Amino acid sequence: MAEASPPPTSPPSLEPGNALFLDVDGTLIDFADRPERVHLLPQVRDSVSHLSERLHGALALVSGRPLAQLDALFAPLRLPAAGLHGHQLRGTAGTGQAPADASASLHRLHQAAKHLAATLPGVLVEDKEGIGLALHWRNAPQAAQQVLAFAEAQLAELPGYRLQPGDHVVEFVQLGRDKGVALELLMGEPAFHGRVPVFVGDDLTDEFGFAAANRLGGWSVLVGTRRPTAARYALPDIAAAHAWLRQNAGIPG
Ligand SMILES: [Mg+2]
């Protein structure tokens, strides 16, 4: 019988030479019934702020959300960040716009998705700044198969895109960018250069970040119980992630 790989264990403490990459939803903040209804606990914002100082600015958010939403959630902090799975990068040249030839197809997709959502109560369509689109079924778990079948069929009409599955969501994401690419690009920035990357995330899209951090000589932390994973370490839930961040930020309790 093949030996199963050992389950990931608790992460070690960060060292001064680390660079920290944090996913947001499902890692720092809990899911809500609608993506815009989430909020960040003030004490978590404090931990992130302290940690950023401890790491001399080598702390970045890496999220599927647009940068504008990340800034609103973390205000008054304005952290280095990758939004929309790396299509938007703060501080690098990689700011993303939908290619001209994709906007008409994206518009058609948006219309078709709205029609689908109208027939499936609880399914949400999220426009990602005209660069991508997400279909959420957290409030309609019975619709998962229909939404996924719709997404597969629509993908054929949208060259240059791929489907990114996630937790009760599927997203249309442009080819060529993912959280691993985002990590590698941010590692080229002065605040990050020469440091050892650590990526913390929960979802399938974070596996790209885990693999990139591991490949660059760093390590990775899965938040939650999803398996299999490329992450070397795991924290059981968001509360444990909060506690780990607080401890690494040097905040007692
Ligand atoms: Mg997440």
Side-chain angles (χ1 to χ4, degrees):
M1 197 174 80
E3 200 176 321
S5 57
T9 53
S10 295
S13 292
L14 293 169
E15 294 179 8
N18 281 133
L20 185 60
F21 297 88
L22 296 171
D23 169 52
V24 176
D25 291 75
T27 297
L28 300 181
I29 58 180
D30 226 331
F31 295 106
D33 56 350
R34 299 181 72 92
E36 67 272 22
R37 289 209 187 128
V38 300
H39 75 282
L40 182 72
L41 295 171
Q43 56 268 39
V44 178
R45 187 183 294 105
D46 285 350
S47 294
V48 168
S49 177
H50 276 81
L51 255 176
S52 177
E53 279 176 34
R54 282 200 155 190
L55 297 172
H56 299 281
L59 182 153
L61 305 174
V62 182
S63 172
R65 287 183 183 271
L67 286 182
Q69 285 186 17
L70 295 176
D71 285 344
L73 274 169
F74 285 80
L77 301 180
R78 199 166 179 275
L79 299 160
L84 299 173
H85 303 279
H87 286 286
Q88 298 175 323
L89 284 169
R90 169 135 69 225
T92 72
T95 306
Q97 286 293 321
D101 60 353
S103 54
S105 316
L106 260 185
H107 181 72
R108 276 198 301 275
L109 169 64
H110 200 180
Q111 296 306 313
K114 282 198 293 191
H115 283 296
L116 176 80
T119 67
L120 296 171
V123 170
L124 290 175
V125 181
E126 185 189 5
D127 174 34
K128 299 277 188 139
E129 309 244 312
I131 293 174
L133 185 131
L135 294 165
H136 299 265
W137 61 85
R138 184 167 306 282
N139 300 323
Q142 74 287 353
Q145 288 311 317
Q146 261 176 285
V147 174
L148 284 169
F150 168 83
E152 293 281 357
Q154 291 292 321
L155 186 66
E157 310 294 319
L158 208 59
Y161 278 74
R162 65 182 174 86
L163 292 180
Q164 174 63 59
D167 187 340
H168 294 86
V169 63
V170 64
E171 285 191 55
F172 292 82
V173 175
Q174 278 178 17
L175 289 169
R177 287 295 169 105
D178 59 48
K179 289 188 175 184
V181 174
L183 180 146
E184 289 187 16
L185 289 168
L186 286 166
M187 284 297 288
E189 292 286 296
F192 296 83
H193 190 72
R195 288 175 171 267
V196 176
V198 173
F199 194 103
V200 186
D202 68 306
D203 211 346
L204 289 172
T205 180
D206 297 309
E207 294 290 332
F208 293 108
F210 298 157
N214 297 345
R215 193 168 59 241
L216 294 177
W219 41 278
S220 42
V221 184
L222 174 77
V223 176
T225 54
R226 182 181 56 77
R227 302 289 188 275
T229 179
R232 303 265 166 84
Y233 303 98
L235 291 161
D237 52 28
I238 294 173
H242 289 170
W244 183 78
L245 287 173
R246 196 162 60 236
Q247 180 197 335
N248 279 282
I251 299 171

